[in-house]
Amino acid sequence: MAYYRQVGNVPPKRHTQHRRSDGGLYYEELMGEEGFASDSSLLYHRYIPSAISDAQPWQLPDQTLTANHPLKPRHLRLHELFGDVDSMAWKSVDPVTGRRMVLGNDDVRISYVVAGETSPLYRNAVGDECVYVESGSGTVETVFGALPVRQGDYVILPRATTHRWLPDADEPLRAYVIEANSHIIPARRYLSRFGQLLEHAPFCERDLHGPAEPLLHDGTDVDVLVKHRGPGGITGTRYVYPKHPFDVVGWDGCMYPYTFNIADFEPITGRVHQPPPAHQVFEGHNFVICNFVPRKVDYHPQAIPVPYYHSNVDSDEVMFYCGGDYEARKGSGIGPGSISLHPGGHSHGPQPGAYERSVGVEFFDELAVMVDTFRPLQLGEGGIAAEDDGYAWTWAAGEPT
């Protein structure tokens, strides 16, 4: 994210003395990608950021993955994973340890959570996280500062950013979590060679919102949960810090957490149907993130606005439906809170009758987040628990009307 920001108190020259009012030194920390060869930020701490007083194993939520075999398209009803909202069970769930794995592979893992409790301090040392806030609001406190979050926000959290989630108390926070084994950046074709978002991009730097001021907390013997690489895959460790890690008085650079609201995405439309890359927002290693927003649709006089049938030769396609009406999916059982998984090797497209009904339609009122992966996805325990077993047969369930 090559968009420079400066927050709080930093010295005029990097890697030089930065002193407190009593004459003592602040401790400079470089957080950088790709071994000093890519984007970075410099943070200035009141205390030594490396100091830990204890380390113990942390048992992660269930990370088990099961192959999509026999190969089928899948429909997963995520709103069923956390029970009835009126039961208030979500109030005791937090947005980190309460996540349930839905889909995953060696490049990306997708989880879902409905939460109302403040999370522990947490750091993902495996890869960046992109968290889509389906509904609810709150604050994400980070070592860089605080980010207010609301419905429709993507929250981008760079690898190894210590943070915690504080949902607002009056309603559950529903979060769709995309965890990478890499960094997550805006689509490369929207970026200049220097990293600026270009004129043809569907959003710009004005739409990205980073921390505005330092966030300073006091405290001792503070626990931080760390997800990291370990023997046989991904594991967890619980650190104890003698001083609170939110002790940064200032920072500057091009790597930091930020939010981008889906309402600020300006859809790219055309006379005939636009392919999914026209809707892309972000990308990571071996996957892309797109979104489908309310928009004027194809305006050629002979246009068919819903997608044509297509085969995913190189990718698995995951669509999370989070608002509006889904013209192409009518008759399938899919609605808000649903995921559809259309795997590589399966041809898919509109439900029976949708192709014909779309002729003459001028506007789609739909909201969805799509993840395309370039290696096969497997089912997590949450995906298995939320599956609609009849979805694969819905294209054969009736004749077009």
Side-chain angles (χ1 to χ4, degrees), residues 112-125:
Y112 187 72
V113 66
V114 182
E117 182 64 71
T118 296
S119 78
L121 289 167
Y122 167 66
R123 179 161 69 241
N124 188 336

Side-chain angles (χ1 to χ4, degrees), residues 368-395:
V369 174
M370 186 175 83
V371 179
D372 269 10
T373 69
F374 299 108
R375 286 201 279 186
L377 286 162
Q378 301 184 72
L379 294 162
E381 63 81 22
I384 293 170
E387 184 167 15
D388 167 14
D389 291 328
Y391 176 69
W393 331 120
T394 56
W395 284 272

Side-chain angles (χ1 to χ4, degrees), residues 165-220:
W165 289 77
L166 292 82
D168 288 341
D170 54 346
E171 61 177 325
L173 181 80
R174 295 181 177 272
Y176 182 69
V177 183
I178 303 164
E179 299 180 47
N181 279 10
S182 63
H183 298 295
I184 298 173
I185 64 171
R188 292 179 192 273
R189 68 178 179 280
Y190 298 150
L191 300 173
S192 77
R193 62 194 177 100
F194 301 110
Q196 182 179 9
L197 286 161
L198 296 167
E199 280 295 301
H200 67 273
F203 55 99
C204 74
E205 286 83 358
R206 297 181 191 181
D207 301 318
L208 311 180
H209 306 285
E213 59 185 8
L215 178 66
L216 297 174
H217 280 295
D218 292 313
T220 57

Side-chain angles (χ1 to χ4, degrees), residues 331-351:
S332 67
I334 284 174
S338 291
I339 274 184
S340 61
L341 167 64
H342 297 138
H346 175 260
S347 176
H348 72 281
Q351 301 303 133

Side-chain angles (χ1 to χ4, degrees), residues 47-48 51 53 217-222 240-247:
Y47 308 108
I48 296 174
S53 56
H217 280 295
D218 292 313
T220 57
D221 298 326
V222 180
V240 178
Y241 282 81
K243 297 291 187 180
H244 202 293
F246 292 169
D247 66 340

Side-chain angles (χ1 to χ4, degrees), residues 14-43:
R14 61 184 177 177
H15 315 322
T16 61
Q17 298 175 30
H18 188 28
R19 294 191 176 274
R20 303 191 303 258
S21 58
D22 64 3
L25 285 169
Y26 290 116
Y27 299 96
E28 183 184 55
E29 177 193 12
L30 175 77
M31 285 186 64
E33 301 172 353
E34 300 177 14
F36 301 92
S38 189
D39 296 345
S40 66
S41 288
L42 287 166
L43 299 89

